[in-house]
Amino acid sequence: EPEVTQTPSHQVTQMGQEVILRCVPISNHLYFYWYRQILGQKVEFLVSFYNNEISEKSEIFDDQFSVERPDGSNFTLKIRSTKLEDSAMYFCASSRGSGQAATNEKLFFGSGTQLSVL
Amino acid sequence: GQQVMQIPQYQHVQEGEDFTTYCNSSTTLSNIQWYKQRPGGHPVFLIQLVKSGEVKKQKRLTFQFGEAKKNSSLHITATQTTDVGTYFCAGPVGSQGNLIFGKGTKLSVKP
């Protein structure tokens, strides 16, 4: 079965540094997402991306965060100046979607990148 | 804002016992999805319920969607050690497919 792949699996960084988390969504999917999960807590929505632009974002996704689809396969999340509280597991997900709506579509999650900010 | 609540937060059972987790939304949902996250793993889609009052079964797992489409439950009959993990319900927010997740119920099964 097709998979969402994420790299790296672990990232350790110093506070204030920039990090880029990488994802390769499933190839025929149209909607891409970033979620995060702080240890032992719920999965929180960050941002959704469709047709090469952000379609929705949560209040967590502030000016320090950005997403990009630099080519036809990669989807990246950049954190410009990391804070201690950014430490979490970051999951990329994709869904097939149809046209401009993706309601009722299941999400396929990658294995995640564990980000540790020291 | 929209909230999805799940209870219990933790459930410890003896292998062979049944298990149920309950999910409640503050708003009516167009559908509800259930995901399972194994320890150290990522959420994996289990099922989606769309119709009011819908009941779906997957082997020992039974999923229900309430008549008002605001609550749902997952029941596992005769748990096995392979059922260990955290079970999340999730409802859609907007039309772009993003989901709001409940806090999950962490199931541990004692052999």
Side-chain angles (χ1 to χ4, degrees), chain B residues 37-55:
Chain B
Q37 185 177 29
R38 294 184 188 276
H42 57 279
V44 175
F45 175 82
L46 291 177
I47 207 159
Q48 180 188 79
L49 304 168
V50 179
K51 299 176 186 173
S52 168
E54 189 170 14
V55 178

Side-chain angles (χ1 to χ4, degrees), chain A residues 33 35 37 56 102 104 107 110, chain B residues 31 37 48 95-96 98-99:
Chain A
Y33 310 86
Y35 285 80
Q37 185 177 35
E56 284 177 323
N104 293 8
L107 300 188
Chain B
N31 72 87
Q37 185 177 29
Q48 180 188 79
S95 65
Q96 301 300 303
N98 49 300
L99 299 173

Side-chain angles (χ1 to χ4, degrees), chain B residues 16-85:
Chain B
E17 291 181 340
D18 292 355
F19 158 76
T20 305
T21 172
Y22 300 91
C23 179
N24 281 285
S25 169
S26 58
T27 59
T28 302
L29 300 170
S30 61
N31 72 87
I32 194 155
Q33 300 182 19
W34 284 90
Y35 290 79
K36 178 182 178 181
Q37 185 177 29
R38 294 184 188 276
H42 57 279
V44 175
F45 175 82
L46 291 177
I47 207 159
Q48 180 188 79
L49 304 168
V50 179
K51 299 176 186 173
S52 168
E54 189 170 14
V55 178
K56 285 189 176 179
K57 292 192 176 187
Q58 286 180 351
K59 297 182 181 177
R60 295 177 294 104
L61 278 61
T62 302
F63 303 84
Q64 290 189 312
F65 200 12
E67 293 291 339
K69 301 182 77 173
K70 293 181 75 173
N71 62 289
S72 182
S73 65
L74 157 60
H75 179 82
I76 302 178
T77 304
T79 53
Q80 300 175 359
T81 54
T82 51
D83 296 325
V84 163

